[in-house]
Amino acid sequence: MISVSVNTRVPSFSKSFQDGGCRIGEDKVLHPLAYLVHTHSHGQMVTAWRVRRQSGVDNWTLIGKRSPQLDQSFYPVENPDAVLKLNDTIALRCVMLNLSNRNVNQGLASYNEMCDLYMMYWVQGNYTQLLQRESACYSSGPPASLTSLGFNNIPV
């Protein structure tokens, strides 16, 4: 399983994007199988993509898009034929809506917020083909954006 987390900071009276990403740093072929998204009450939508850079242009393939306010469960990926390889990136965007008069920061309590993706994957062969190093990554969150993280050709 791979997890991607963004350190959330949701300003008061705002709609904001909490963006992050993780690069695959091992020479493995991962076949995404299912994903789960998680936020607390401010999360409106969580979208995850596989990003593969070719000749300087990012090609985006949807892994999954789901409201975190729906049932918390693993759901099949949108494109089961898309694989993750060395130097591909998992990009994550959580859309947050904060209608309160206080800023909301990262935290485990229900009055805090989170932006997380958990993705199950399979590999051909035995366990040596699984990721052997880190399978979790953390992004700093705002003011970082998909653009400032170095992505281009970002889907609307």
Side-chain angles (χ1 to χ4, degrees), residues 9-16 42 96-100 103:
R9 289 185 291 282
V10 185
S12 63
F13 300 113
S14 72
K15 178 179 179 179
S16 63
H42 298 90
M96 302 284 183
L97 181 62
N98 182 359
L99 299 177
S100 74
N103 296 336

Side-chain angles (χ1 to χ4, degrees), residues 80-156:
D81 295 327
V83 298
L84 291 161
K85 298 179 181 178
L86 179 66
N87 294 322
D88 284 348
T89 301
I90 299 172
L92 180 65
R93 169 170 276 179
C94 293
V95 178
M96 302 284 183
L97 181 62
N98 182 359
L99 299 177
S100 74
N101 63 357
R102 67 174 187 86
N103 296 336
V104 179
N105 292 313
Q106 174 75 24
L108 298 175
S110 62
Y111 55 81
N112 293 127
E113 198 47 85
M114 304 177 102
C115 173
D116 297 325
L117 168 77
Y118 303 95
M119 188 183 74
M120 292 189 283
Y121 66 91
W122 63 273
V123 296
Q124 294 206 353
N126 62 26
Y127 70 93
T128 63
Q129 296 306 309
L130 297 171
L131 291 176
Q132 300 296 307
R133 296 191 294 255
E134 290 189 34
S135 59
C137 76
Y138 306 92
S139 294
S140 61
S145 66
L146 291 175
T147 304
S148 71
L149 291 168
F151 294 111
N152 63 55
N153 197 32
I154 301 166
V156 177

Side-chain angles (χ1 to χ4, degrees), residues 71-87:
D71 294 338
Q72 291 282 296
S73 184
F74 280 91
Y75 294 92
V77 296
E78 295 291 324
N79 185 348
D81 295 327
V83 298
L84 291 161
K85 298 179 181 178
L86 179 66
N87 294 322

